[in-house]
Amino acid sequence: AQSVTQLGSHVSVSEGALVLLRCNYSSSVPPYLFWYVQYPNQGLQLLLKYTSAATLVKGINGFEAEFKKSETSFHLTKPSAHMSDAAEYFCAVSDLSNFGNEKLTFGTGTRLTIIP
Amino acid sequence: GAVVSQHPSRVICKSGTSVKIECRSLDFQATTMFWYRQFPKQSLMLMATSNEGSKATYEQGVEKDKFLINHASLTLSTLTVTSAHPEDSSFYICSARQGIGTIMNTEAFFGQGTRLTVV
């Protein structure tokens, strides 16, 4: 069974400051990891994904995440927060145990607030 | 990115009635669609996976007779909540997988969700 833990349901950072959203996973097989962002009244949008290639993954809007197997972590970072980054962020894990119909298991989400 | 449209965005219905939620992939064909349910301050919970032209695969604990899923075409899947009760009130989200392949080389696009309130 797979699971994802997102530490901190709410994170507030000042505009221009570093954004760090934490995600730890549990998986019995090599995982595929994802970060999604959800803006108010919109669907989830893929920020980035790790699929066993490079451990440092770059995504859209200046976000990146690093897969650390030893720490079972996939934390999301952005060097300088922008007001438009305010949203809900979800970490998710999947594998290839059901080829073509892989399920995503989501974390509980982290609401990011940017302080002007 | 591709667009998935979910309708309605909000619905209020009386207890005992049925509600249908539509999920459409607007600019691509989706062989696989997923339906999720999200409780307040909780993660998205997968309810079922549907492939076009075949019966949906429901997750353990999800009542298939209560949550009817139809994936009749490559661009449309529907979720019908039958005989709705207040405990069915929730946020329902669909996603559609673009392309054929694995999660490594395809992407799932999400609808904006439907807030169902049963009174």
Side-chain angles (χ1 to χ4, degrees), chain B:
Chain B
V3 177
V4 174
S5 177
Q6 200 170 330
H7 179 79
S9 58
R10 290 179 179 271
V11 59
I12 300 173
C13 71
K14 291 184 177 180
S15 185
T17 62
S18 295
V19 173
K20 180 183 286 188
I21 302 169
E22 292 187 349
C23 179
R24 293 181 183 273
S25 54
L26 297 186
D27 49 4
F28 68 97
Q29 293 185 328
T31 53
T32 305
M33 288 188 171
F34 304 85
W35 286 95
Y36 296 86
R37 182 173 180 177
Q38 185 179 26
F39 294 98
K41 299 184 179 181
Q42 295 188 32
S43 63
L44 284 72
M45 302 299 295
L46 180 65
M47 299 175 65
T49 302
S50 71
N51 291 296
E52 185 265 338
S54 60
K55 290 184 178 180
T57 302
Y58 290 81
E59 293 300 298
Q60 190 173 11
V62 178
E63 299 176 61
K64 59 182 65 177
D65 293 332
K66 168 170 266 305
F67 299 101
L68 301 179
I69 292 172
N70 184 284
H71 192 167
S73 77
L74 286 172
T75 59
L76 174 65
S77 176
T78 60
L79 168 67
T80 301
V81 183
T82 63
S83 187
H85 288 92
E87 58 265 31
D88 298 324
S89 298
S90 192
F91 194 59
Y92 294 88
I93 303 173
C94 73
S95 76
R97 177 79 58 81
Q98 181 182 29
I100 298 174
T102 72
I103 205 163
M104 292 174 62
N105 55 11
T106 64
E107 183 173 340
F109 296 93
F110 288 77
Q112 74 273 34
T114 297
R115 174 75 59 192
L116 170 63
T117 303
V118 184
V119 297

Side-chain angles (χ1 to χ4, degrees), chain A residues 89-100:
Chain A
Y89 291 80
F90 293 92
C91 183
V93 63
S94 184
D95 61 40
L96 291 180
S97 60
N98 188 13
F99 189 87

